[in-house]
Amino acid sequence: MDPVALYEEACAREGESGHYNRNVRMEADSGPVVVRMRSGDPEAMDLTLWSEADVLSAIGPHVPAAPRLLHASTDPGFQIHEFVEGRRVDALFPDGKPLPEPVLDSIETLFGRLLRVPARALPEVPGDWPHDGDTAGFAGRLLGLVRVIRRRHDATAGGLYEALGIPEDPCALLQERAAGLAERPFRLLHADIHRKNMILGRRGQVVFLDWELALWGDPVYDLGDHLHKMSYSPAERHVVAEGWERAAPSECRTQWSRDLGYYLAYEAVKSAVVDTIRWGRRIATEQDREARSTLAGELADKIAAARPHWTAGPRPAPEPSDIESAVEHWMS
């Protein structure tokens, strides 16, 4: 395998793109592989702590459900991963469709393995990162990201935020609540476990992709992030939460059920702030009227879910028609 030659050829081909990376299947001498490279210069909408290559190298002996890293380069920046035969879970079981028991079991197993990866096996954590067990400090890092995103767009979309009733500091109430989080030892978090990041193999095995957002932090956050992104039914959500409780070591479960509500509230607020920009751009460029109305309805739901968690005041939640008008005014 000539990694650079594969990378150069992959640059000229189309592939599957996420927010941060583009994946191109290529044929190496040993068989199919995936060349993974950055998607242009996307805006950071998530916390990052380590390089994905460093994470995959570290967890190889501990998390067999992660893809194998075959090569990593920093100049040019790309990775080569093993190709995982199978289909993405979102294609087989889209949002709202129940997942089969083997997939739910695989998610439970992944949580159990993540929470047992020893700190000594992982890359070094920056000196300014919250110390082990400082869940309030970890939550503060998450809130700081949302505040940065909210301020970053003041010059271009600040008026849209204001028109849709999203406060200048949407994290004020969550900041107050963060002080009451129970202390729990930090563990490895995937921080992006959702249907598009799972491959279901022919033999029923599940491989979990996209480790670029992996963090060292409060183990309950990983569960909250997962539940927010999966569109589970209430019954499924209960099953997955019970599975996490079974999989988690006892020291990770201190007041976990109470604090899970905090992280679900955080995810709702983050989604409203981030997706006001993402959905706003999609609405602004969508030519089909029906599709535009659908997007506006989705954004209206996201804002309505977040409003109880910030100081919303008496102002009513925006209707989809309000969103379409605001987008036309502020993002045209």
Side-chain angles (χ1 to χ4, degrees):
M1 180 176 71
D2 183 340
V4 174
L6 281 173
Y7 163 73
E8 290 175 346
E9 187 177 350
C11 287
R13 295 193 182 185
E14 293 184 0
E16 292 190 0
S17 294
H19 184 66
Y20 299 110
N21 290 286
R22 186 165 70 92
N23 302 307
V24 182
R25 175 178 171 168
M26 300 291 295
E27 290 295 330
D29 294 340
S30 58
V33 296
V34 172
V35 177
R36 184 163 166 82
M37 64 199 87
R38 297 293 288 178
S39 297
D41 187 22
E43 294 175 306
M45 298 291 192
D46 299 278
L47 281 183
T48 56
L49 185 59
W50 301 302
S51 77
E52 184 176 32
D54 287 345
V55 173
L56 289 174
S57 295
I59 67 175
H62 306 280
V63 185
R68 287 188 303 125
L69 176 70
L70 303 178
H71 180 82
S73 169
T74 56
D75 187 18
F78 70 95
Q79 304 168 54
I80 298 179
H81 295 182
E82 68 170 331
F83 176 77
V84 180
E85 191 72 44
R87 296 187 64 188
R88 269 186 4 197
V89 166
D90 69 305
L92 296 168
F93 309 100
D95 285 354
K97 187 172 183 179
L99 294 180
E101 188 172 335
V103 175
L104 295 176
D105 289 344
S106 295
I107 293 169
E108 179 179 331
T109 298
L110 176 69
F111 279 132
R113 290 189 177 275
L114 288 173
L115 298 176
R116 288 169 175 82
V117 175
R120 64 180 179 275
L122 296 170
E124 187 175 354
V125 175
D128 64 347
W129 193 253
H131 63 77
D132 189 15
D134 180 13
T135 49
F138 175 74
R141 283 297 180 106
L142 297 173
L143 297 174
L145 169 71
V146 175
R147 286 168 166 148
V148 166
I149 295 169
R150 172 64 176 84
R151 291 194 301 268
R152 181 194 300 157
H153 297 285
D154 275 349
T156 56
L160 179 61
Y161 279 130
E162 184 177 347
L164 301 185
I166 298 176
E168 187 174 346
D169 182 4
C171 300
L173 294 183
L174 287 175
Q175 187 73 63
E176 294 175 9
R177 290 177 58 186
L181 292 171
E183 291 188 1
R184 282 174 290 272
F186 283 7
R187 292 292 187 266
L188 175 64
L189 320 177
H190 181 287
D192 201 25
I193 306 170
H194 57 77
R195 295 171 198 255
K196 292 183 179 180
N197 282 346
M198 292 185 256
I199 298 290
L200 180 60
R202 293 176 179 176
R203 298 180 181 178
Q205 77 279 16
V206 179
V207 176
F208 296 86
L209 310 177
D210 291 10
W211 292 79
E212 71 266 37
L213 304 184
L215 296 173
W216 179 248
D218 185 351
V220 178
Y221 172 67
D222 219 6
L223 176 61
D225 178 78
H226 174 67
L227 294 179
H228 173 79
K229 293 174 177 176
M230 286 295 290
S231 299
Y232 284 130
S233 68
E236 261 191 317
R237 178 176 288 216
H238 180 71
V239 168
V240 172
E242 283 189 334
W244 182 93
E245 184 179 22
R246 283 192 300 269
S250 59
E251 64 271 19
C252 296
R253 301 195 304 263
T254 303
Q255 298 190 56
W256 73 272
S257 183
R258 181 202 67 175
D259 291 349
L260 176 61
Y262 174 86
Y263 287 117
L264 291 172
Y266 164 78
E267 287 296 326
V269 169
K270 180 190 174 190
S271 179
V273 172
V274 169
D275 290 339
T276 290
I277 300 303
R278 287 181 176 170
W279 262 244
R281 289 171 177 163
R282 293 172 67 187
I283 293 167
T285 57
E286 178 57 62
Q287 299 301 310
D288 182 78
R289 178 179 293 275
E290 185 176 346
R292 192 164 58 246
S293 296
T294 297
L295 290 169
E298 292 171 353
L299 182 54
D301 290 343
K302 293 172 185 287
I303 294 172
R307 289 181 81 254
H309 309 300
W310 61 48
T311 307
R315 186 175 181 176
E319 296 292 332
S321 58
D322 301 325
I323 291 175
E324 289 192 66
S325 298
V327 166
E328 183 177 356
H329 182 72
W330 293 105
M331 301 196 75
S332 57

